[in-house]
């Protein structure tokens, strides 16, 4: 068998994909010839027909061109899925990001006075307006927010935290580690299940710098428990003239208990309780881009702004553009619920999910896949992303049963689809949860299953 030369493949590539300089094809052409050679050496290829060669060229080149970071379809039912990019953004936020990305902006330019300005002003006023905070600043993510706040408020000092709140958020973000890198000394109090106000009080000494409360984002301690409320900590803080900080993780801006979910204090309520510094993520429950939001007392925020770490943890202009618009939607709760995808997904009524599941199941059945069954089942999704821990979101899903293919094999097939479809497995069947699906996702799911029929 004759393996085509790199130059020959280059020529073919440049005819197939006009608009690139010929030199661009050297690397992909080399990959094509290697691909063919390997197939031939393994005995998988006896004869290279013209059609076959064309297919290989297209396959290898399209793979070469595909960005590593790409869109996937989230059929898991987990809304704020950390591995799948957390929050999809509101349309209006995306429009603003595109504008700021494409053109110049007043990022650090005061248009009123024609002088240098601050990048933080773009979100400061709106954050104060919707939360009632005295001061506000934003950094790269919530991990940075916690780090810089601890470093500013309690460098070289002891920070008192309940043992029940020494959380690991994932990766290497553990409260004890962050404390160390912020230059603070961790002072744990209480026990895993119970911490009383007197535990904090007994630990206070002349080297105490801060009282810290951390939201238990991804777990819950149930049963015989006692945790000190923000209000109680504030009273204690005032008594000893110590600042109180709360890392909320997700940070609810609207009261979800109105919609039948368990009560989580909103950011506004926590600030109103007198907590001096509150931190939370931009891309968890808030539904914006990755950012760390720090709210609280004006003088403390000012100190954080001046901390040299702030430059290292600085928020980017695209984030600012998306965040500002997302925050503005919170001026009215109905707007937020309508236009912020994560909120909308979390608050989708079960009945509507049932309709979507039935529609999808019917369309899948119509494909006539032999040996497959599509059933609408009651199930539950999750908010994910360390928000409302352990909370189940009641939903209806499509259960896919197959006599021929195991759910694991099917899951892999869908994951390797273009675009990848990420699903979950329950017992012995595959689940497609409509909660996080966009309108554009449905035809892709149908196409993928259709491919299955064509015997891939
Ligand atoms: C998620 C979380 C963090 C980290 O936030 P990122 O936005 O991922 O940096 C910190 N603390 C708590 C309690 C969290 O839930």
């Amino acid at each position: 068998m004759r393996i085509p030369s790199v130059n020959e493949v280059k020529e073919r590539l440049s005819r197939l994909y006009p608009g690139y300089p010929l030199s661009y094809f050297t690397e992909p052409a080399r990959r094509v010839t290697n691909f063919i050679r390997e197939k031939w050496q393994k005995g998988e290829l006896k004869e290279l027909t013209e059609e076959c060669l064309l297919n290989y060229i297209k396959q290898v080149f399209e793979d070469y061109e595909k960005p590593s970071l790409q869109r996937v379809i989230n059929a898991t039912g987990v809304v704020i899925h950390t591995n799948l990019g957390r929050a999809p953004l509101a349309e209006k936020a995306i429009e603003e990001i595109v504008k700021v990305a494409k053109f110049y902006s007043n990022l650090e330019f005061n248009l009123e006075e024609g002088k240098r300005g601050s990048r933080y002003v773009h979100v400061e006023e709106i954050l104060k307006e919707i939360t009632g905070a005295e001061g506000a600043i934003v950094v790269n993510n919530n991990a940075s927010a916690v780090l810089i706040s601890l470093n500013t408020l309690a460098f070289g000092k002891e920070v008192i935290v309940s043992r029940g709140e020494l959380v690991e958020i994932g990766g290497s973000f553990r409260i004890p580690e962050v404390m160390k890198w912020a230059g603070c000394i961790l002072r744990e109090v209480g026990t895993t299940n119970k911490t009383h106000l007197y535990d904090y009080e007994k630990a206070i000494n002349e080297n105490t710098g801060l009282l810290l409360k951390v939201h238990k984002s991804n777990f819950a301690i149930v049963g015989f428990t006692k945790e000190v409320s923000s209000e109680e900590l504030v009273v204690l803080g005032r008594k000893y003239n110590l600042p109180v900080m709360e890392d909320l993780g997700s940070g609810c801006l609207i009261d979800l208990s109105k919609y039948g979910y368990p009560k989580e204090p909103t950011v506004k309520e926590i600030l109103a309780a007198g907590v001096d510094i509150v931190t939370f993520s931009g891309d968890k429950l808030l539904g914006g881009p990755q950012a760390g939001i720090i709210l609280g007392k004006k003088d403390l925020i000012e100190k954080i702004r001046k901390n040299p770490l702030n430059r290292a943890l600085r928020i980017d202009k695209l984030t600012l553009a998306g965040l500002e618009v997302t925050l503005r939607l919170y001026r009215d709760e109905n707007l937020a619920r309508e236009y912020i995808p994560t909120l909308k997904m979390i608050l989708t009524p079960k009945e509507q999910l049932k309709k979507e599941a039935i529609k999808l199941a019917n369309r899948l059945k119509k494909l006539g896949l032999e040996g497959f069954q599509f059933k609408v089942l009651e199930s539950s999704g999750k908010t994910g992303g360390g928000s409302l821990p352990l909370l189940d979101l009641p939903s209806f899903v499509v259960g896919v049963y197959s006599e021929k293919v195991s759910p694991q094999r099917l899951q892999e097939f869908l994951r390797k689809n273009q675009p990848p479809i990420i699903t979950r497995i329950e017992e012995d069947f595959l689940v497609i949860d409509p909660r996080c699906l966009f309108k554009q996702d449905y035809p892709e799911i149908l196409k993928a299953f259709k491919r299955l029929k064509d015997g891939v």
Side-chain angles (χ1 to χ4, degrees):
M1 192 187 80
R2 195 186 75 84
I3 293 170
S5 73
V6 170
N7 274 336
E8 196 180 332
V9 177
K10 260 175 92 170
E11 292 292 340
R12 280 174 180 271
L13 275 164
S14 89
R15 262 176 275 133
L16 276 170
Y17 302 97
Y20 293 88
L22 188 65
S23 52
Y24 184 75
F25 296 114
T26 310
E27 175 60 22
R30 213 177 43 74
R31 291 188 191 193
V32 170
T33 54
N34 286 345
F35 181 83
I36 293 169
R37 188 172 301 108
E38 270 172 35
K39 272 201 169 304
W40 174 69
Q41 281 166 350
K42 281 190 211 149
E44 291 169 8
L45 185 69
K46 295 276 175 306
E47 200 198 315
L48 189 65
T49 61
E50 176 62 22
E51 190 196 350
C52 187
L53 174 63
L54 264 179
N55 276 339
Y56 288 156
I57 289 178
K58 281 186 191 163
Q59 192 182 324
V60 171
F61 187 67
E62 272 151 35
D63 197 44
Y64 179 73
E65 282 287 275
K66 200 177 66 193
S68 165
L69 180 60
Q70 53 179 310
R71 164 201 174 192
V72 307
I73 293 174
N74 178 6
T76 65
V78 179
V79 180
I80 302 153
H81 198 307
T82 295
N83 302 146
L84 303 184
R86 288 200 185 157
L89 297 183
E91 214 52 69
K92 283 170 192 282
I94 295 163
E95 283 167 18
E96 213 50 43
I97 290 174
V98 170
K99 263 193 258 169
V100 167
K102 185 163 172 169
F103 302 106
Y104 290 98
S105 64
N106 63 337
L107 179 66
E108 289 185 351
F109 188 67
N110 183 327
L111 292 171
E112 208 56 53
E113 298 170 8
K115 296 198 294 222
R116 185 174 202 280
S118 152
R119 66 176 59 212
Y120 305 106
V121 300
H122 307 297
V123 289
E124 197 179 330
E125 289 311 312
I126 181 69
L127 276 168
K128 291 201 249 177
E129 179 186 331
I130 60 177
T131 64
E134 263 184 31
I137 190 163
V138 285
V139 288
N140 182 54
N141 58 4
N142 188 35
S144 320
V146 174
L147 179 74
I148 194 171
S149 301
L150 288 173
N151 180 268
T152 310
L153 302 176
F155 184 77
K157 298 206 165 175
E158 289 184 11
V159 177
I160 306 181
V161 196
S162 158
R163 278 214 169 80
E165 295 174 357
L166 294 177
V167 300
E168 171 177 318
I169 309 301
S172 54
F173 191 83
R174 292 171 154 189
I175 290 296
E177 312 273 320
V178 175
M179 197 76 79
K180 190 173 98 192
W181 288 102
C184 306
I185 303 150
L186 172 66
R187 187 72 200 270
E188 315 167 29
V189 295
T191 59
T192 308
N193 58 332
K194 282 200 172 201
T195 302
H196 303 271
L197 193 62
Y198 58 73
D199 291 321
Y200 288 89
E201 187 155 16
K202 270 195 298 192
I204 293 176
N205 62 50
E206 67 291 343
N207 198 29
T208 304
L210 180 73
L211 306 178
L212 175 69
K213 194 167 164 60
V214 183
H215 191 275
K216 293 192 273 295
S217 300
N218 43 14
F219 70 107
I221 298 176
V222 292
F224 188 57
T225 64
K226 160 82 182 142
E227 127 177 28
V228 172
S229 71
S230 313
E231 287 84 355
E232 291 172 284
L233 267 193
V234 167
V235 172
L236 189 66
R238 295 287 181 277
K239 183 169 164 191
Y240 291 93
N241 202 17
L242 289 170
V244 175
M245 166 172 156
E246 191 158 344
D247 172 20
L248 286 174
S250 204
C252 295
L253 288 180
I254 64 177
D255 184 359
L256 292 173
S257 67
K258 277 191 259 176
Y259 308 101
Y261 293 107
K263 175 72 191 171
E264 283 262 330
T266 63
V267 171
K268 197 172 187 164
E269 286 164 348
I270 287 173
L271 287 166
V275 173
D276 301 285
I277 287 291
V278 168
T279 68
F280 55 99
S281 289
D283 55 348
K284 286 186 180 169
L285 216 43
L286 189 124
Q290 177 190 304
I293 297 170
I294 311 174
L295 303 176
K297 296 283 147 55
K298 207 171 163 159
D299 55 326
L300 299 181
I301 294 290
E302 194 46 32
K303 277 192 195 158
I304 292 170
R305 195 180 63 75
K306 289 191 183 139
N307 186 328
L309 265 182
N310 189 27
R311 180 58 192 252
L313 308 174
R314 184 159 90 164
I315 191 160
D316 151 71
K317 66 175 178 181
L318 302 185
T319 308
L320 273 173
L323 186 62
E324 178 183 1
V325 176
T326 307
L327 291 169
R328 279 165 176 265
L329 291 169
Y330 280 97
R331 282 180 160 159
D332 184 275
E333 188 166 321
N334 294 313
L335 272 186
R337 283 173 47 204
E338 174 69 22
Y339 293 113
I340 297 177
T342 49
L343 279 185
K344 197 175 171 138
M345 286 168 184
I346 288 168
L347 297 173
T348 307
K350 200 172 144 188
E351 286 316 303
Q352 195 181 327
L353 293 169
K354 187 174 182 180
K355 276 191 211 148
E356 296 296 343
I358 292 173
K359 214 161 62 186
L360 178 60
N362 286 338
R363 285 157 82 186
L364 285 166
K365 280 177 202 162
K366 278 209 193 102
L367 294 176
L369 278 167
E370 239 175 88
F372 274 82
Q373 278 186 307
F374 301 98
K375 294 186 190 165
V376 174
L377 308 160
E378 219 168 334
S379 180
S380 61
K382 290 249 188 275
T383 57
S387 15
L388 312 175
L390 316 185
L391 175 67
D392 282 331
L393 302 174
S395 70
F396 280 91
V397 300
V398 178
V400 183
Y401 298 79
S402 166
E403 293 161 10
K404 294 184 191 158
V405 195
S406 71
Q408 287 75 16
R409 175 72 193 84
L410 194 56
Q411 188 176 46
E412 184 191 343
F413 171 79
L414 292 172
R415 193 176 68 238
K416 292 185 175 164
N417 187 62
Q418 212 39 252
I421 302 166
I422 315 300
T423 56
R424 66 171 198 262
I425 292 174
E426 258 175 41
E427 292 157 42
D428 57 344
F429 56 91
L430 182 98
V431 168
I432 300 177
D433 194 319
R435 184 179 299 276
C436 309
L437 295 180
F438 289 87
K439 208 170 65 232
Q440 301 91 319
D441 293 340
Y442 288 96
E444 300 290 351
I445 293 173
L446 289 170
K447 254 197 270 173
F449 275 93
K450 198 155 170 290
R451 252 186 350 112
L452 206 58
K453 186 182 178 180
D454 302 336
V456 179

